[in-house]
Amino acid sequence: MPALLEVIERQQFIMGDEVARLEQAVAELSGAAHGIACASGTDALLLPLKVLDLQPGDEVITTPFTFFATAGAIWNAAGRPVFVDIERRSFNIDVTAVEAAITPRTRAMVPVHLFGQMAPMERVMALAARHGLAVIEDAAQAIGARRQIGGGWRMAGELGTAGALSFFPSKNLGAWGDGGMIVTQDAVLAERLRKLRTHGGAKQYHHEEVGTNSRLDTLQAAVLLAKLPHLGAWSAARRERAARYTAALAGLDALTTPWVDPANEHIFHQYTIRTPRRDALRQRLTERGIGCAVYYPTPLHLQPCFRDLGHRAGAFPESERAAAEALSLPIYPELSPESQERVVAAVREICA
Ligand SMILES: Cc1ncc(COP(=O)(O)O)c(C=O)c1O
């Protein structure tokens, strides 16, 4: 790949020009003024949460039906994760439940745009404005996803205080290793985040605060820059394949195909069905060599590390039901109609 050879010849492996070019391009795609590349999607959540300077007992509201990093980042930024349940159809945060969970200690919310479809950001932002809360969008699975708000399209990461993107290899825009980016409209926040990702210093050997090493490698930026022009077509191809599955799986009593909020353009990072026969279906698909995955088998309020938060099974019934019923079928831009037919046939046998 010539772009990689160029980086190797230049030997500017850290903070090379490609990083700044990628930051600009991804910010633009996300409708944001600034992009700050960092080492992972996890750090893209952690760094803006750190900026909030959370004090012991400060609360950050999120959902328990997400990848661990969402709540892990809240914890590592000294916040107390406060879980609220999800909406059954979308798997995304239930904004009515968020409102009920706000206390005088609430400082922020982390809505997750799960599986590639945006949470209802217009409602999240209205609530945040009313209560003076920061909003860190977990857009790790939703780069390029958009939602119609107020008559126009708004991108994942555009409206929150900051948005966190992941370039984990399996993501719609995947690097050849770990990587992430924070997007924001706020120039002051962007400046602060740039410092935090390089040990808190804008100038070398001068540290205004304690940051960390969370940079994106120039080689990864070069890979991502080469892929980025294709992202729109790849996500459209995922949508086509999702529509094909949904048509082919219609009419099965024991199966629910993904619901797309009419305001959303989904990027189908995952195509996630639900069925009470999930475990049997997973076994059948696996026996036939068809890859499938359970995201996520244990909701975060039931993880051992959050035991001290005091939640029991039954606390968040929709999240727990989703954890028992959700199964993600193979979806990627190159997935052939024949492969999809094999998947559909196996699903029909179990769920008919
Ligand atoms: C919802 C969600 N949040 C956060 C992350 C963390 O991203 P990363 O794996 O790049 O640290 C991921 C990806 O794995 C994710 O799916």
Side-chain angles (χ1 to χ4, degrees), residues 63-66 83-88 91 274-276 278-279 294-303 310-326:
T63 130
F65 191 65
T66 175
F83 295 117
V84 301
D85 215 347
I86 53 167
E87 290 172 355
R88 182 176 299 185
F91 300 107
R274 50 195 309 163
T275 171
R278 195 267 311 276
D279 294 336
V294 172
Y295 304 112
Y296 297 92
T298 307
L300 301 187
H301 65 287
L302 300 178
Q303 291 290 347
H311 299 296
R312 296 241 163 84
F316 302 108
E318 290 302 339
S319 298
E320 290 167 35
R321 214 168 87 108
E325 295 187 349

Side-chain angles (χ1 to χ4, degrees), residues 43-75:
D43 278 0
L45 288 165
L46 178 63
L47 296 176
L49 284 163
K50 281 215 177 258
V51 169
L52 299 178
D53 196 20
L54 300 173
Q55 299 301 306
D58 279 353
E59 297 170 358
V60 179
I61 298 175
T62 193
T63 130
F65 191 65
T66 175
F67 180 61
F68 182 76
T70 314
I74 294 170
W75 186 272

Side-chain angles (χ1 to χ4, degrees), residues 69-152:
T70 314
I74 294 170
W75 186 272
N76 283 331
R80 179 184 170 87
V82 170
F83 295 117
V84 301
D85 215 347
I86 53 167
E87 290 172 355
R88 182 176 299 185
R89 291 191 302 179
S90 66
F91 300 107
N92 277 331
I93 200 159
D94 177 345
V95 183
T96 309
V98 174
E99 182 145 36
I102 292 173
T103 74
R105 297 305 304 267
T106 308
R107 298 283 315 282
M109 303 182 239
V110 184
V112 183
H113 305 315
L114 202 71
F115 300 148
Q117 119 164 286
M118 283 176 69
M121 284 301 292
E122 64 287 359
R123 294 178 60 208
V124 169
M125 295 313 295
L127 202 54
R130 267 211 306 288
H131 294 272
L133 306 176
V135 176
I136 313 300
E137 290 175 64
D138 186 337
Q141 300 185 3
I143 187 168
R146 53 186 191 162
R147 179 173 176 86
Q148 286 221 288
I149 297 177

Side-chain angles (χ1 to χ4, degrees), residues 21-302:
R21 276 169 41 212
L22 181 75
E23 288 177 333
Q24 201 178 344
V26 171
E28 212 168 282
L29 166 76
S30 305
H34 308 276
I36 303 95
C38 60
S40 65
T42 301
D43 278 0
L45 288 165
L46 178 63
L47 296 176
L49 284 163
K50 281 215 177 258
V51 169
L52 299 178
D53 196 20
L54 300 173
Q55 299 301 306
D58 279 353
E59 297 170 358
V60 179
I61 298 175
T62 193
T63 130
F65 191 65
T66 175
F67 180 61
F68 182 76
T70 314
I74 294 170
W75 186 272
N76 283 331
R80 179 184 170 87
V82 170
F83 295 117
V84 301
D85 215 347
I86 53 167
E87 290 172 355
R88 182 176 299 185
R89 291 191 302 179
S90 66
F91 300 107
N92 277 331
I93 200 159
D94 177 345
V95 183
T96 309
V98 174
E99 182 145 36
I102 292 173
T103 74
R105 297 305 304 267
T106 308
R107 298 283 315 282
M109 303 182 239
V110 184
V112 183
H113 305 315
L114 202 71
F115 300 148
Q117 119 164 286
M118 283 176 69
M121 284 301 292
E122 64 287 359
R123 294 178 60 208
V124 169
M125 295 313 295
L127 202 54
R130 267 211 306 288
H131 294 272
L133 306 176
V135 176
I136 313 300
E137 290 175 64
D138 186 337
Q141 300 185 3
I143 187 168
R146 53 186 191 162
R147 179 173 176 86
Q148 286 221 288
I149 297 177
W153 287 107
R154 297 308 191 102
M155 305 302 295
E158 178 176 349
L159 294 176
T161 314
L165 302 170
S166 165
F167 303 128
F168 186 81
S170 64
K171 295 292 194 280
N172 287 34
L173 182 65
W176 289 355
D178 274 312
M181 192 178 294
I182 307 149
V183 291
T184 181
Q185 310 293 1
D186 182 338
V188 176
L189 174 59
E191 197 52 41
R192 180 102 185 266
L193 290 165
R194 282 183 208 288
K195 283 187 205 160
L196 278 179
R197 76 166 168 196
T198 44
H199 293 296
K203 277 190 295 181
Q204 207 174 13
Y205 306 126
H206 175 84
H207 302 273
E208 282 147 25
E209 60 183 318
V210 178
T212 188
N213 173 358
S214 182
R215 296 173 297 231
L216 180 74
D217 287 354
T218 312
L219 283 168
Q220 297 300 347
V223 169
L224 292 163
L225 274 174
K227 287 183 159 194
L228 187 59
H230 305 285
L231 179 64
W234 286 338
S235 292
R238 285 171 179 264
R239 272 192 295 280
E240 273 171 32
R241 277 137 189 88
R244 204 183 288 152
Y245 270 140
T246 296
L249 295 171
L252 295 175
D253 284 347
L255 180 133
T256 309
T257 51
W259 178 74
V260 182
D261 184 327
N264 275 338
E265 186 173 77
H266 205 311
I267 62 157
F268 283 101
H269 172 58
Q270 299 294 341
Y271 182 89
T272 304
I273 57 160
R274 50 195 309 163
T275 171
R277 300 184 200 153
R278 195 267 311 276
D279 294 336
L281 176 57
R282 173 156 65 154
Q283 196 182 334
R284 173 62 56 95
L285 292 172
T286 307
E287 279 163 12
R288 298 201 170 172
I290 296 170
C292 60
V294 172
Y295 304 112
Y296 297 92
T298 307
L300 301 187
H301 65 287
L302 300 178

